[in-house]
Amino acid sequence: MKLYYTPLACSLADHIALHEAGASFEREAVDLVTKKTASGIDFHAITPKGYVPALLLDDGELITENIAILDWIAGEYPALGAPGTLGRTRVLEALTFVSTELHRAFKPMWHAGSAEAKAKAKATISGLFEEVAGWLKGDYLFGARPTVADFYLFVMLLWAKRFGIDLPAPLFALRERMAARPSVRTAMRHEGLLAAADA
Ligand SMILES: N[C@@H](CCC(=O)N[C@@H](CS)C(=O)NCC(=O)O)C(=O)O
């Protein structure tokens, strides 16, 4: 299995999930500007979509779209899902919110645009974080242990730091808690996201 990723992109959620699961996998970085992989392959030849994440399975099947990949990982490694008859639905509900509301709201922050558009995006993001802050059922979204939805949310919390967006106290604490997990530290180290002194 091979994960195509870009440092600090939304693919970090999948990277963390695979480490958290103890999965055996390879990884290959993708330059989203040149659309070349680290080994020099045209990324469009791997997926015409041209964006990360993409997960190549051992049987040659390629999964794209973050919600689908994270749902597949939780299916293979049920400890990364939520319990109960509605467990999978609740995780998909959270993943969809992170993807279609939060992740999408960050788009203006990553691209060239007016200061006004960025200020508007920051206000939208802060409102969304206020909403998510009320969802925690314990140390994580669904209780005492993290699910794939926490990993995607964590990437959004890192992006908040990157763009100087303040977090409600429960999400600030969640970011700290997540950042201390060995799987998260390993994935971040592999993506060059830990300060040298901290790596
Ligand atoms: N619909 C995709 C979007 C993924 C996405 O936005 N990926 C970004 C990185 S976070 C990307 O690769 N952008 C490069 C591009 O679109 O050219 C998904 O949900 O997985």
Side-chain angles (χ1 to χ4, degrees):
M1 173 161 65
K2 184 192 270 194
L3 176 69
Y4 291 94
Y5 75 99
T6 299
L8 198 58
C10 50
S11 47
L12 176 58
D14 313 87
H15 195 173
I16 292 169
L18 291 170
H19 278 300
E20 189 81 31
S24 164
F25 68 102
E26 296 171 45
R27 61 181 188 278
E28 185 160 359
V30 178
D31 183 326
L32 292 175
V33 177
T34 62
K35 302 288 181 190
K36 291 270 188 210
T37 73
S39 62
I41 294 168
D42 176 7
F43 188 49
H44 281 115
I46 291 158
T47 166
K49 290 177 175 174
Y51 51 67
V52 294
L55 185 67
L56 181 63
L57 303 184
D58 292 339
D59 63 4
E61 290 278 355
L62 185 80
I63 312 178
T64 59
E65 304 300 331
N66 219 349
I67 294 173
I69 297 172
L70 290 167
D71 179 59
W72 181 85
I73 294 172
E76 292 292 302
Y77 302 95
L80 301 184
T85 46
L86 276 183
R88 182 179 175 202
T89 302
R90 293 297 177 213
V91 171
L92 282 170
E93 194 175 32
L95 283 173
T96 306
F97 185 89
V98 173
S99 175
T100 64
E101 304 297 332
L102 264 172
H103 183 162
R104 189 181 58 167
F106 268 98
K107 296 267 176 197
M109 307 307 296
W110 287 108
H111 301 293
S114 66
E116 192 188 351
K118 288 183 194 295
K120 201 172 157 201
K122 275 191 178 187
T124 301
I125 293 162
S126 292
L128 293 168
F129 278 141
E130 286 294 339
E131 193 171 338
V132 176
W135 294 358
L136 274 69
K137 292 195 169 68
D139 275 354
Y140 297 96
L141 283 173
F142 294 96
R145 54 177 183 77
T147 66
V148 289
D150 292 272
F151 305 143
Y152 199 175
L153 176 58
F154 175 65
V155 178
M156 299 300 111
L157 302 179
L158 286 182
W159 289 2
K161 192 176 200 172
R162 163 85 169 65
F163 294 111
I165 298 170
D166 290 337
L167 294 174
L171 295 187
F172 184 88
L174 176 63
R175 185 171 68 197
E176 299 288 298
R177 203 175 289 127
M178 286 285 310
R181 293 186 74 83
S183 64
V184 174
R185 291 182 55 77
T186 302
M188 290 183 74
R189 186 166 54 249
H190 289 164
E191 297 199 10
L193 300 174
L194 291 186
D198 196 30

